[in-house]
Short mmCIF file of all heavy atoms in Angstrom, two decimals:
data_model
loop_
_atom_site.label_atom_id
_atom_site.label_comp_id
_atom_site.label_asym_id
_atom_site.label_seq_id
_atom_site.Cartn_x
_atom_site.Cartn_y
_atom_site.Cartn_z
N THR A 578 15.70 9.85 -16.73
CA THR A 578 15.49 9.04 -17.92
C THR A 578 15.05 7.64 -17.49
O THR A 578 15.58 7.10 -16.51
CB THR A 578 16.78 8.93 -18.75
OG1 THR A 578 17.33 10.23 -18.96
CG2 THR A 578 16.53 8.25 -20.08
N TYR A 579 14.10 7.06 -18.26
CA TYR A 579 13.58 5.72 -17.94
C TYR A 579 13.43 4.89 -19.20
O TYR A 579 13.09 5.41 -20.27
CB TYR A 579 12.20 5.81 -17.26
CG TYR A 579 12.18 6.64 -16.01
CD1 TYR A 579 11.98 8.01 -16.07
CD2 TYR A 579 12.36 6.05 -14.75
CE1 TYR A 579 11.96 8.79 -14.92
CE2 TYR A 579 12.35 6.82 -13.59
CZ TYR A 579 12.14 8.18 -13.68
OH TYR A 579 12.13 8.94 -12.55
N THR A 580 13.63 3.59 -19.06
CA THR A 580 13.35 2.67 -20.15
C THR A 580 12.58 1.48 -19.62
O THR A 580 12.84 0.99 -18.52
CB THR A 580 14.63 2.20 -20.86
OG1 THR A 580 14.29 1.27 -21.90
CG2 THR A 580 15.59 1.52 -19.89
N THR A 581 11.60 1.03 -20.41
CA THR A 581 10.78 -0.13 -20.05
C THR A 581 10.62 -1.00 -21.29
O THR A 581 10.16 -0.52 -22.33
CB THR A 581 9.40 0.28 -19.53
OG1 THR A 581 9.56 1.25 -18.49
CG2 THR A 581 8.65 -0.92 -18.99
N SER A 582 10.95 -2.28 -21.17
CA SER A 582 10.91 -3.20 -22.31
C SER A 582 9.74 -4.17 -22.22
O SER A 582 9.88 -5.34 -22.56
CB SER A 582 12.24 -3.97 -22.40
OG SER A 582 13.30 -3.10 -22.69
N TYR A 583 8.61 -3.68 -21.76
CA TYR A 583 7.44 -4.53 -21.57
C TYR A 583 6.20 -3.83 -22.12
O TYR A 583 6.16 -2.61 -22.22
CB TYR A 583 7.23 -4.84 -20.08
CG TYR A 583 8.42 -5.50 -19.42
CD1 TYR A 583 9.52 -4.76 -19.01
CD2 TYR A 583 8.45 -6.88 -19.22
CE1 TYR A 583 10.61 -5.36 -18.40
CE2 TYR A 583 9.54 -7.49 -18.61
CZ TYR A 583 10.62 -6.73 -18.20
OH TYR A 583 11.70 -7.33 -17.63
N GLY A 584 5.19 -4.62 -22.43
CA GLY A 584 3.94 -4.05 -22.91
C GLY A 584 2.99 -5.16 -23.34
O GLY A 584 3.32 -6.34 -23.28
N GLY A 585 1.82 -4.78 -23.79
CA GLY A 585 0.82 -5.74 -24.25
C GLY A 585 -0.12 -5.10 -25.25
O GLY A 585 -0.18 -3.87 -25.35
N ASP A 586 -0.84 -5.92 -26.00
CA ASP A 586 -1.78 -5.38 -26.98
C ASP A 586 -2.71 -4.39 -26.29
O ASP A 586 -3.29 -4.68 -25.24
CB ASP A 586 -2.62 -6.51 -27.59
CG ASP A 586 -1.83 -7.36 -28.57
OD1 ASP A 586 -0.65 -7.02 -28.84
OD2 ASP A 586 -2.38 -8.37 -29.06
N GLU A 587 -2.86 -3.22 -26.89
CA GLU A 587 -3.64 -2.16 -26.28
C GLU A 587 -5.04 -2.61 -25.89
O GLU A 587 -5.55 -2.28 -24.82
CB GLU A 587 -3.72 -0.97 -27.24
CG GLU A 587 -4.42 0.25 -26.67
CD GLU A 587 -4.53 1.38 -27.69
OE1 GLU A 587 -5.33 1.25 -28.64
OE2 GLU A 587 -3.81 2.38 -27.53
N GLN A 588 -5.69 -3.40 -26.75
CA GLN A 588 -7.08 -3.77 -26.51
C GLN A 588 -7.25 -4.69 -25.30
O GLN A 588 -8.36 -4.84 -24.80
CB GLN A 588 -7.66 -4.45 -27.75
CG GLN A 588 -7.10 -5.83 -28.04
CD GLN A 588 -7.88 -6.55 -29.13
OE1 GLN A 588 -8.86 -6.05 -29.66
NE2 GLN A 588 -7.44 -7.75 -29.46
N THR A 589 -6.17 -5.29 -24.82
CA THR A 589 -6.28 -6.16 -23.65
C THR A 589 -6.32 -5.38 -22.34
O THR A 589 -6.58 -5.96 -21.29
CB THR A 589 -5.14 -7.19 -23.61
OG1 THR A 589 -3.89 -6.50 -23.42
CG2 THR A 589 -5.08 -8.00 -24.88
N PHE A 590 -6.04 -4.09 -22.40
CA PHE A 590 -6.17 -3.23 -21.22
C PHE A 590 -7.53 -2.55 -21.25
O PHE A 590 -7.87 -1.92 -22.25
CB PHE A 590 -5.08 -2.16 -21.22
CG PHE A 590 -3.68 -2.67 -21.11
CD1 PHE A 590 -2.95 -3.00 -22.25
CD2 PHE A 590 -3.07 -2.82 -19.88
CE1 PHE A 590 -1.66 -3.46 -22.17
CE2 PHE A 590 -1.76 -3.29 -19.78
CZ PHE A 590 -1.05 -3.61 -20.93
N PRO A 591 -8.32 -2.63 -20.20
CA PRO A 591 -9.55 -1.82 -20.17
C PRO A 591 -9.20 -0.36 -20.43
O PRO A 591 -8.21 0.17 -19.90
CB PRO A 591 -10.07 -2.03 -18.74
CG PRO A 591 -9.52 -3.37 -18.34
CD PRO A 591 -8.16 -3.45 -18.98
N MET A 592 -10.02 0.28 -21.23
CA MET A 592 -9.68 1.63 -21.66
C MET A 592 -9.56 2.60 -20.50
O MET A 592 -8.65 3.45 -20.47
CB MET A 592 -10.72 2.14 -22.67
CG MET A 592 -10.36 3.47 -23.28
SD MET A 592 -11.55 3.93 -24.54
CE MET A 592 -10.93 5.53 -25.02
N ASP A 593 -10.44 2.50 -19.51
CA ASP A 593 -10.36 3.43 -18.39
C ASP A 593 -9.05 3.25 -17.62
O ASP A 593 -8.46 4.20 -17.13
CB ASP A 593 -11.58 3.31 -17.48
CG ASP A 593 -11.87 1.90 -17.02
OD1 ASP A 593 -11.09 0.98 -17.33
OD2 ASP A 593 -12.91 1.70 -16.36
N TRP A 594 -8.59 2.00 -17.55
CA TRP A 594 -7.32 1.71 -16.87
C TRP A 594 -6.16 2.30 -17.66
O TRP A 594 -5.27 2.95 -17.10
CB TRP A 594 -7.15 0.19 -16.73
CG TRP A 594 -5.99 -0.23 -15.88
CD1 TRP A 594 -6.01 -0.53 -14.55
CD2 TRP A 594 -4.64 -0.42 -16.31
NE1 TRP A 594 -4.75 -0.89 -14.12
CE2 TRP A 594 -3.89 -0.82 -15.19
CE3 TRP A 594 -3.98 -0.29 -17.52
CZ2 TRP A 594 -2.53 -1.10 -15.25
CZ3 TRP A 594 -2.62 -0.54 -17.59
CH2 TRP A 594 -1.90 -0.95 -16.46
#
Side-chain angles (χ1 to χ4, degrees):
T578 310
Y579 303 87
T580 178
T581 308
S582 294
Y583 302 80
D586 287 355
E587 184 183 72
Q588 69 170 359
T589 65
F590 296 89
M592 186 175 178
D593 52 5
W594 188 95

